[in-house]
């Protein structure tokens, strides 16, 4: 059975308990999550045909450094870059390289900064120039599935309701939900309890309580849900090579609902194709 603990009473390591955070923690999360959101906003002007994902990676590193933030990805389990850049049929954990983006690509950039000891984790999709209608629809469905799942969050609801909302919407739109990766508790640790599944039943999982902080980051495919990890040990791709999309917010449970920490200051979390 899952148990809950006041974060100030818990050691700074994985314990399997769900941490409950206070206003001081929420203030720290607001700051770092806003920085991640500002960085993702700034990338919208940069992402065009011809730009390489290494250029995006260097931009993210410099953006954080200007504000005194470190990238959580760098050296995480041996990862050697600042962010993840997942193009087309890459589901997640795409590694930046020197290949230029091409007109019609869709790319997810996933950024996690650490500031004042707090982790801010968010990702979005960017259309590269003009994209096909099927790709545009996938981005709409993925974004909408995330936002619908956030709407169900309040104390007393079970975490399974979050995944159920994503699955019901995405599958209703003839898309599929990736099972192999999930959202996660986040705060002073990058990946903490609980696992946030993007599918399931509303009466499953731990009960949501005020003060919980976690990510929701559905990966939705146009084809089948199966994925495989390439021999680099990171890059996850769809087995059927169908397009995949992902959006990620970091949220906190409040007394009456939830606060989205990674909202876009420019209101460009979802970008329509050119
Ligand atoms: N930001 C990813 C997440 O949403 C994790 C990336 S870990 C890395 O949880 F090592 F691949 F960078
Ligand atoms: Co995450
Ligand atoms: Co992330």
């Amino acid at each position: 059975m899952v148990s809950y603990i006041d974060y100030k009473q818990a050691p700074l390591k994985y314990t399997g308990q769900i941490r409950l955070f206070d206003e001081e923690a929420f203030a720290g999360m607001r700051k770092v999550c806003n920085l991640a959101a500002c960085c993702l906003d700034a990338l919208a002007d940069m992402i065009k045909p011809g730009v390489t994902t290494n250029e995006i990676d260097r931009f993210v590193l410099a953006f954080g450094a200007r504000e005194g933030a470190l990238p959580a990805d760098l050296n995480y389990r041996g990862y050697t870059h600042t962010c993840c850049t997942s193009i087309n049929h890459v589901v997640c954990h795409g590694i930046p390289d020197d290949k230029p983006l091409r007109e019609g690509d869709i790319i997810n950039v996933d950024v996690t900064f650490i500031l004042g000891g707090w982790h801010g984790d968010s990702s979005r999709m960017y259309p590269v120039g003009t994209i096909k209608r099927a790709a545009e629809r996938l981005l709409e469905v993925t974004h909408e599935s995330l936002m619908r799942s956030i709407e169900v969050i309040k104390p007393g609801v079970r975490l399974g309701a979050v995944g159920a909302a994503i699955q019901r919407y995405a599958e209703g739109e003839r898309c599929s939900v990736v099972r192999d990766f999930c959202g996660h508790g986040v705060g002073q640790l990058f990946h903490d309890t609980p696992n946030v599944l993007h599918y399931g039943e509303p009466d499953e999982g731990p009960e949501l309580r005020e003060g919980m902080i976690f990510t929701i980051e559905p990966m939705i495919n146009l084809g089948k849900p199966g994925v495989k990890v390439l021999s680099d040990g990171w890059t996850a791709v769809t087995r059927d090579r169908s397009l995949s999309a992902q959006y990620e917010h970091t949220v906190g449970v409040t007394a009456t609902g939830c606060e989205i920490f990674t909202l876009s200051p420019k209101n460009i979390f979802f970008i329509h194709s050119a």
Side-chain angles (χ1 to χ4, degrees), residues 110 112 121 182-184 190-191 215 217 248:
D110 191 336
T112 307
D121 186 4
C182 51
H184 48 92
F190 189 3
H191 292 120
T215 75
E217 46 184 299
E248 175 176 26

Side-chain angles (χ1 to χ4, degrees), residues 191-217:
H191 292 120
D192 201 359
T193 315
N195 283 335
V196 179
L197 304 185
H198 302 120
Y199 59 94
E201 300 296 333
D203 59 354
E204 291 171 348
E207 186 186 284
L208 299 182
R209 295 213 185 152
E210 183 179 358
M212 284 174 64
I213 299 178
F214 52 88
T215 75
I216 311 173
E217 46 184 299

